[in-house]
Amino acid sequence: MHVPDGFINAPTSAVTGVVAAGAIAVSLRGARRELDDRTAPLAGLVAAFIFAVQMLNFPVAAGTSGHLLGGALAAILVGPCTGVLCVSVVLLMQGILFADGGLTALGVNITDMAIVTTVVAYAVFRGLVKVLPRGRRSITVASFVAAVLSVPAAAVAFTLIYWIGGTTDVSIGKVATAMIGVHVLIGIGEAVITALTVGAVVAVRPDLVHGARDLRQKLRLRVHGELVDAPAAEETPAGGRTPVAARTSRHTLWVTGLVTSLVLAGFVSFYASANPDGLEKVAADKGIDKKAEEHASADSPLADYGVKDVTNARLSGGLAGVIGVGTTVVAGSAVFWAVRRRRTGDDVSPTAVENV
C-alpha cells in the first residue's frame, strides 16, 4: 500500500505530512514510557523484521499480491507509540533508499500504514484481551483479529484520502469497493504472520512483549517510600531466580530475530510473488495511477530492491534485502535507544518488596 508520488495532490499531501509529523512527535514521547534498556533493542529488531517481511509478497487473488503492513505486529510487541515509530522508520528507509513509496507522499504513507494500522490494531487487541480468558492463547487470537482488521482499515483510510485529494477523476465508490475487497484478503495473510510471530515471542519471552504484560504478576519495590517496577528477572542481583519463561536470553532472541530477518530478506524474498500488490492492482484497473510521477530516488543504487550494476537477479535482490535490514535495524535501534526510559540506581537498591 505504498502510495507513489502523484496519486494525491500537494495540499492533501502537506496536510497528511503535518498529521504524520504530529503523530511521530507524540509517539516519541510515548515511546519513552514503553521502552527501557531491555525492550529498546527489540524495537529496533521489530523494525528490521517488518522491513524483511514486507519484501515477501504473497498471492491473494488472480494477478494480485499482498505483503505485511506491520502496524499490528509492532504495536503488540513493543507498544502502540513505539509501533508507529517502527513502521515510520521502515517507510523512511524504503522511500529514500529503495524508491518504494513517494517522498512527497511520505506523510500519506505514514498516516495510512503506520498510524491507522497501529491505532486500530492496538485498540482491537486491547479490547479483546480484556474479554478473553487470561492466557497466551488469547494473546495470539487477539493478535490475529487485530491484524485482520487493521489492513482493511488502512484501505478505508487511503480511500478517504484519495476522495479528498486524488489527482484523477475516478468514482470513489469503485475505488472503495476494490481497495477494501482485496485488502480484506491481504489482511488474512497479515493476521497469520502477526499471530505466528507474536505467539513465538510470547512462548519464550512474554516479559518482553508489550501486549502480554498482563500475563505476569508485577513485582514492585518500595524505594524511599515510593513503589517502582522491579528489575526484570534476568537482571536481578546474583543468586536471583530466573523464571521458566525467561530461559531464552534477550541476546539470543535478538540474534535469532536478526538472522531470521536477514535470511528472509536476503534469500526467501527471491521467491516472493511478482504480481502487483493490492494498491498497484487497483490503481491500474481503476485508472488512479494516470498522474503517477517518477520517484525522486529512482536513480538510487538500491532502487526497486536491487543493487545497481549487479546483473544476477538473485544476488542483486538478496544484497539489497540484507542492506535494507542492516540499515533499518541500525536506524531504528539508534532512535529507540535514544528515547528509552533509563533505569536509575535506585531501581536496583530496594529497601522493601511488595507483590501487588
Side-chain angles (χ1 to χ4, degrees), residues 1-3 8 11-24 27 69 71 80 83-85 87-89 91-92 102-121 150-162 164:
M1 203 180 291
H2 294 75
V3 179
I8 307 298
T12 306
S13 296
V15 171
T16 56
V18 172
V19 171
I24 289 174
S27 296
L69 296 186
V84 170
L85 298 178
V87 182
S88 297
V89 167
L91 293 172
L92 187 62
L103 296 184
T104 62
L106 186 60
V108 175
N109 286 320
I110 290 177
T111 300
D112 193 27
M113 297 177 64
I115 302 171
V116 172
T117 58
T118 301
V119 171
V120 171
S150 69
V151 178
V156 170
F158 168 79
T159 302
L160 292 175
I161 293 172
Y162 187 82
I164 295 170

Side-chain angles (χ1 to χ4, degrees), residues 245-265:
R247 281 188 222 162
T248 301
S249 70
R250 283 182 290 139
H251 179 265
T252 300
L253 178 64
W254 194 91
V255 170
T256 301
L258 181 60
V259 170
T260 301
S261 300
L262 290 171
V263 170
L264 291 175

Side-chain angles (χ1 to χ4, degrees), residues 50 58 64 77 125 132 175 202 250 269 325 333 335-336:
I50 290 173
F58 48 85
T64 309
L77 287 179
F125 175 83
L132 291 173
V175 173
V202 168
R250 283 182 290 139
S269 62
V325 168
S333 297
V335 171
F336 301 129

Side-chain angles (χ1 to χ4, degrees), residues 71-96:
L73 177 63
I76 295 165
L77 287 179
V78 292
C81 292
T82 308
V84 170
L85 298 178
C86 280
V87 182
S88 297
V89 167
V90 173
L91 293 172
L92 187 62
M93 294 297 101
Q94 291 170 332
I96 294 176

Side-chain angles (χ1 to χ4, degrees), residues 8-266:
I8 307 298
N9 63 31
T12 306
S13 296
V15 171
T16 56
V18 172
V19 171
I24 289 174
V26 171
S27 296
L28 285 169
R29 293 178 61 88
R32 185 174 178 81
R33 297 190 300 269
E34 297 170 351
L35 298 174
D36 56 24
D37 293 343
R38 299 164 56 248
T39 54
L42 178 62
L45 177 62
V46 168
F49 182 77
I50 290 173
F51 176 92
V53 181
Q54 282 196 2
M55 293 183 66
L56 309 180
N57 280 45
F58 48 85
V60 294
T64 309
S65 69
H67 62 69
L68 182 81
L69 296 186
L73 177 63
I76 295 165
L77 287 179
V78 292
C81 292
T82 308
V84 170
L85 298 178
C86 280
V87 182
S88 297
V89 167
V90 173
L91 293 172
L92 187 62
M93 294 297 101
Q94 291 170 332
I96 294 176
L97 298 179
F98 298 91
D100 189 11
L103 296 184
T104 62
L106 186 60
V108 175
N109 286 320
I110 290 177
T111 300
D112 193 27
M113 297 177 64
I115 302 171
V116 172
T117 58
T118 301
V119 171
V120 171
Y122 196 70
V124 172
F125 175 83
R126 293 306 306 169
L128 288 174
V129 167
K130 289 180 179 179
V131 300
L132 291 173
R134 190 167 179 261
R136 294 178 184 174
R137 183 174 298 178
S138 295
I139 297 295
T140 303
V141 171
S143 299
F144 185 94
V145 177
V148 164
L149 296 178
S150 69
V151 178
V156 170
F158 168 79
T159 302
L160 292 175
I161 293 172
Y162 187 82
W163 180 46
I164 295 170
T167 55
T168 56
D169 186 16
V170 179
S171 168
I172 196 63
K174 293 181 179 179
V175 173
T177 300
M179 283 292 294
I180 296 171
V182 70
H183 284 92
V184 166
L185 299 176
I186 295 173
I188 296 173
E190 176 105 8
V192 171
I193 296 170
T194 300
L196 289 175
T197 305
V198 170
V201 179
V202 168
V204 295
R205 288 302 300 262
D207 58 308
L208 296 180
V209 178
H210 183 86
R213 64 189 187 278
D214 293 337
L215 291 182
R216 60 191 186 277
Q217 189 176 25
K218 291 184 178 180
L219 180 69
R220 307 197 76 192
L221 310 175
R222 186 174 294 281
V223 180
H224 303 313
E226 295 184 1
L227 288 174
V228 298
D229 291 339
E234 69 173 333
E235 296 180 354
T236 53
R241 187 175 181 183
T242 302
V244 173
R247 281 188 222 162
T248 301
S249 70
R250 283 182 290 139
H251 179 265
T252 300
L253 178 64
W254 194 91
V255 170
T256 301
L258 181 60
V259 170
T260 301
S261 300
L262 290 171
V263 170
L264 291 175

